[in-house]
Amino acid sequence: MDQRPSSPPGDPAAPDEVVTVYDAAGAVIGTAPRSRVYAEGLWHASAGVLLRSMDGSRVYVHRRSPDKAVFAGMHDCLAGGVVDPGESPGETAVRELAEELGVTGVELSPIAQVRWDGRWDGKPLRCHLFAFEGRYDGPISHQASEIVDGWWWTDAELRAHLADPAWAFVPDTRALLAGYFA
C-alpha cells in the first residue's frame, strides 16, 4: 500500500494519519492514509471499549464531535478508533480509551468481533471491528476534538435507544454489539 501522506477532507494543510489496511479475511496487507482508506473503501480495523461502572449496572454513552470525519455528531457507547500500524486491536482499545475519555489502568476483556461491510456518505466503509469491556467509576475527561458530551445509562436505557432505528447511533457499533445487548 502507498504510505505517502495525503490531506484529509476539509483541511488540505493537515497531515493525514496512516492506518493499517487489511484484506476482507482480516489479514494485515499494508498501510494507507486514512483519507484514502475512507475514499476507496479499503478494509481496515477499529477497536473500542464499552466502559461499564464498577458494579456493571451502567454503560458510558457519548455524542461524537460534529467535526469527526465519520459518523459525525452521532451517539456511541464505545470509545475507540482505527488500528494504527504495528498495533493490535487490544493496544488500540487501551490507547483510544485514554485519548477519548482520559481513562487509564483499566483491565479490558474482549466481548465482540465482527466484519462490517457498511456504507458512509455514499461510499463503502469496510472494517474489522473489535469490542472490549472495562469497568471504571473514576472521572471522565473528554477529548474535545472527539466527544462533545457523555453520560451513564443502564443497559435498559441503551437497549431502548438502540431499538429505535431513527436514533442517531453509529452503525458499526450497532452491528458490532447486536448480540451483546439482545
Side-chain angles (χ1 to χ4, degrees), residues 1 3 7 15 20 23 29 33 51-52 67 83 87 93 102 105 107 127 139 143 149 152 155 160 165 168 174 182:
M1 289 274 133
Q3 292 188 32
S7 298
T20 305
D23 65 17
I29 60 171
L51 193 62
R52 286 193 169 279
D67 301 325
V83 175
E87 276 186 330
E107 185 177 326
C127 194
Q143 181 179 22
D149 197 13
W152 293 95
D155 282 4
R174 215 184 268 269

Side-chain angles (χ1 to χ4, degrees), residues 98-168:
E99 288 176 3
E100 292 188 1
L101 300 181
V103 175
T104 60
V106 173
E107 185 177 326
L108 302 181
S109 302
I111 57 170
Q113 179 179 342
V114 70
R115 178 179 169 265
W116 187 67
D117 193 353
R119 297 192 67 76
W120 173 252
D121 199 25
K123 298 180 199 128
L125 185 60
R126 298 179 177 106
C127 194
H128 298 281
L129 304 167
F130 299 86
F132 298 82
E133 181 179 292
R135 302 239 172 159
Y136 181 76
D137 279 334
I140 303 284
S141 177
H142 297 149
Q143 181 179 22
S145 63
E146 301 275 340
I147 297 173
V148 296
D149 197 13
W151 53 91
W152 293 95
W153 271 349
T154 65
D155 282 4
E157 289 171 310
L158 182 55
R159 275 195 311 270
H161 282 84
L162 288 173
D164 178 0
W167 188 51

